[in-house]
Amino acid sequence: MAKDKTQYTCNECGGSSPKWLGKCPHCNAWNTLIESVAESTAPAKNRFASLAKTAEVTTLADIDATDVQRTPTGHDELDRVLGGGIVEGGVVLIGGDPGIGKSTLLLQALDSLQRSGQKTLYVTGEESGAQVALRSRRLGLDGSQVSVLAEIQLEKILATLDHTQPAIAVIDSIQTVYSEQLTSAPGSVAQVRECAAHLTRAAKASGTAIVLVGHVTKEGALAGPRVLEHMVDTVLYFEGDTHSSFRLIRAIKNRFGAVNEIGVFAMTERGLKGVSNPSAIFLSQHSEPVPGSCVMVTLEGTRPMLVEIQALVDSGGPSPRRLSVGLDRDRLAMLLAVLHRHAGVACMDQDVFVNAVGGVRISEPAADLAVMLAITSSLRGKALPKGFIAFGEVGLAGEVRPAPRGQERLKEAAKLGFSVAVVPKANLPKKNDKAFEGLTIHPVERIDEAMDVVRGL
């Protein structure tokens, strides 16, 4: 980069000289010239100046606010996670492991948007145009009119966006883009941050919705600086085991919709297809009830989902193991202590393994009751009755606390044909509600009560 011009200014009289002198040429004082950066006569123009729009101070009541307009992408599950569709001028960051289906899903979404009359642009930095065309043929998107630009230089991408004015543009991926204003390599922190800032500014100024594809680190966090998450409007994570055909999209941040919303997709030969009833995936198909299995209703964003919790209790050695997949391991140790102290079920000398079926992760404490019932069922070798569900948080004193939005959970279970439910007393629905027909609900206040109810079944 060009070196800033310097000048020498006198401490005594303020006169300036282009080079250092022992005596000031203006006031003849000795050793008073100090080096400083020469002030430019040209007006200063920051490259982010257009981001700072001038606005007067106004009160909230006087601001005319309307709901943002949304454009559906043609994929219900993606729209659900985005909060209803793409927002004009919105910037979405989508991250996920390599090969999980980010580019596939975005190409399908762009094709649906283009067929509905929207102008689209797909900027690929990782593949050539021919590779993108091959993928579109493989996905069965024959005759697709999506515009493709194979380019990684930021200034050319911005010029193309300015010239073509698309309604939505995908940058795949932000880690390959570089700006001429910086000398560092593409993918470095400075380049990623600078390019994302310029693209965000372009989206806000022109109204083009921009989707940035981001790489993830080995730990699963978005690669590059976390500042990338603060710049954009929406952050989506693409999750899923590459060995499984199911993929989950989770919203981590969304300025235009609910956060922690989840979308479920199935990977097929013709790309990703939305799964409208995900409960069917997370329930394993047993012809008869088996010991150590309990179904619970978990909430993912606004959607109640039925998930099967499986437990296996086996005789352990002198140091028994506690392992959990999809649930917090520390919470499992705590639940085993509560189970021993307040329900008299001892697992001190047993190995305990707990798993949430289907690769789903459950972070909410409403799974406590189902986990404890599954562990007890496996230890005793007795299966829970057919059509049984349970949910509720269990405290250290052995009390069963209510789960948020319990009525919705019960409605989902009744809709899917479950017949027996053990729930916290505070989640008991009002009588004579037709939504819960065919579902026998047992309210409990303590964990020992829950164990007695289950033994009676």
Side-chain angles (χ1 to χ4, degrees):
M1 291 173 73
K3 189 174 182 290
D4 290 331
K5 288 185 178 176
T6 57
Q7 65 178 12
Y8 294 83
T9 310
C10 174
N11 271 350
E12 301 289 334
C13 68
S16 60
S17 166
K19 59 183 182 178
W20 188 83
L21 300 166
K23 184 168 76 169
C24 171
H26 303 281
C27 65
N28 295 325
W30 287 91
N31 292 328
T32 55
L33 291 175
I34 305 289
E35 186 178 22
S36 63
V37 178
E39 288 185 12
S40 170
T41 52
K45 174 98 169 72
N46 190 299
R47 59 184 181 272
F48 297 115
S50 61
L51 271 179
K53 295 186 176 70
T54 53
E56 298 296 322
V57 176
T58 50
T59 57
L60 280 174
D62 295 336
I63 297 173
D64 183 28
T66 54
D67 280 344
V68 287
Q69 290 292 316
R70 298 179 185 278
T71 308
T73 61
H75 292 71
D76 293 343
E77 294 295 301
L78 184 57
D79 289 340
R80 174 192 286 275
V81 179
L82 288 169
I86 296 272
V87 175
E88 185 182 322
V91 183
V92 180
L93 175 65
I94 181 163
D97 292 326
I100 204 155
K102 303 184 293 292
S103 304
T104 301
L105 178 65
L106 291 173
L107 194 57
Q108 287 178 270
L110 278 188
D111 186 70
S112 301
L113 284 160
Q114 169 262 311
R115 288 179 198 275
S116 68
Q118 301 287 333
K119 200 170 183 184
T120 58
L121 177 67
Y122 187 88
V123 180
T124 170
E126 299 183 344
E127 301 172 301
S128 66
Q131 285 173 303
V132 177
L134 276 171
R135 181 191 289 132
S136 77
R137 309 273 196 286
R138 205 166 58 240
L139 297 174
L141 310 176
D142 299 320
S144 179
Q145 298 299 308
V146 174
S147 307
V148 177
L149 171 70
E151 182 57 70
I152 61 171
Q153 190 186 327
L154 176 71
E155 285 73 18
K156 288 183 183 170
I157 293 170
L158 290 173
T160 308
L161 287 173
D162 190 43
H163 174 65
T164 56
Q165 294 285 330
I168 175 169
V170 171
I171 313 293
D172 185 7
S173 70
I174 189 66
Q175 265 83 10
T176 60
V177 181
Y178 76 95
S179 170
E180 281 187 330
Q181 293 172 342
L182 298 172
T183 54
S184 50
S188 62
V189 170
Q191 285 283 18
V192 168
R193 188 165 48 197
E194 182 86 356
C195 294
H198 277 289
L199 288 162
T200 304
R201 185 191 70 187
K204 302 297 177 200
S206 67
T208 297
I210 290 184
V211 181
L212 306 175
V213 178
H215 295 175
V216 291
T217 59
K218 286 177 187 157
E219 291 77 37
L222 274 162
R226 285 304 289 265
V227 74
L228 209 57
E229 294 192 6
H230 300 294
M231 281 181 191
V232 300
D233 299 314
T234 308
V235 181
L236 307 180
Y237 272 87
F238 221 125
E239 300 171 358
D241 190 358
T242 46
H243 306 298
S244 158
S245 63
F246 295 108
R247 307 279 188 269
L248 304 180
I249 289 193
R250 206 180 288 275
I252 304 299
K253 165 191 175 179
N254 195 350
R255 286 180 184 151
F256 307 117
V259 81
N260 279 336
E261 198 63 81
I262 190 174
V264 185
F265 290 90
M267 181 63 91
T268 66
E269 289 179 359
R270 287 300 175 98
L272 288 155
K273 298 274 190 290
V275 177
S276 54
N277 179 20
S279 297
I281 308 166
F282 304 122
L283 297 177
S284 62
Q285 311 299 319
H286 301 301
S287 53
E288 286 298 316
V290 292
S293 167
C294 181
V295 176
M296 71 155 294
V297 192
T298 184
L299 276 180
E300 285 286 358
T302 57
R303 159 191 277 184
M305 274 195 323
L306 274 80
V307 175
E308 185 179 350
I309 306 285
Q310 291 184 337
L312 176 64
V313 180
D314 196 18
S315 54
S319 54
R321 300 174 69 195
R322 277 76 181 107
L323 266 177
S324 65
V325 179
L327 296 130
D328 186 17
R329 192 176 302 182
D330 295 337
R331 195 158 188 91
L332 173 61
M334 187 185 84
L335 293 178
L336 287 169
V338 174
L339 202 56
H340 179 218
R341 184 68 183 268
H342 296 288
V345 178
C347 299
M348 287 98 71
D349 54 347
Q350 307 281 325
D351 286 339
V352 180
F353 306 99
V354 177
N355 174 36
V357 172
V360 71
R361 280 207 317 269
I362 299 173
S363 54
E364 62 167 353
D368 293 353
L369 188 57
V371 170
M372 290 167 112
L373 292 176
I375 289 168
T376 314
S377 164
S378 177
L379 182 68
R380 298 226 159 95
K382 289 191 175 172
L384 291 164
K386 196 165 188 173
F388 177 90
I389 65 146
F391 62 83
E393 181 185 348
V394 179
L396 287 178
E399 79 279 16
V400 179
R401 297 166 179 268
R405 292 169 45 205
Q407 311 275 318
E408 288 178 38
R409 296 176 197 249
L410 286 168
K411 277 177 187 164
E412 181 73 7
K415 195 170 78 181
L416 290 170
F418 282 78
S419 53
V420 186
V422 172
V423 301
K425 195 166 190 178
N427 287 138
L428 188 65
K430 295 184 183 73
K431 291 201 168 95
N432 304 325
D433 193 334
K434 292 198 172 170
F436 306 106
E437 273 182 17
L439 186 65
T440 310
I441 300 167
H442 299 275
V444 293
E445 285 185 309
R446 298 190 52 78
I447 184 64
D448 45 344
E449 272 182 57
M451 293 295 165
D452 291 339
V453 167
V454 171
R455 281 190 201 105
L457 297 171

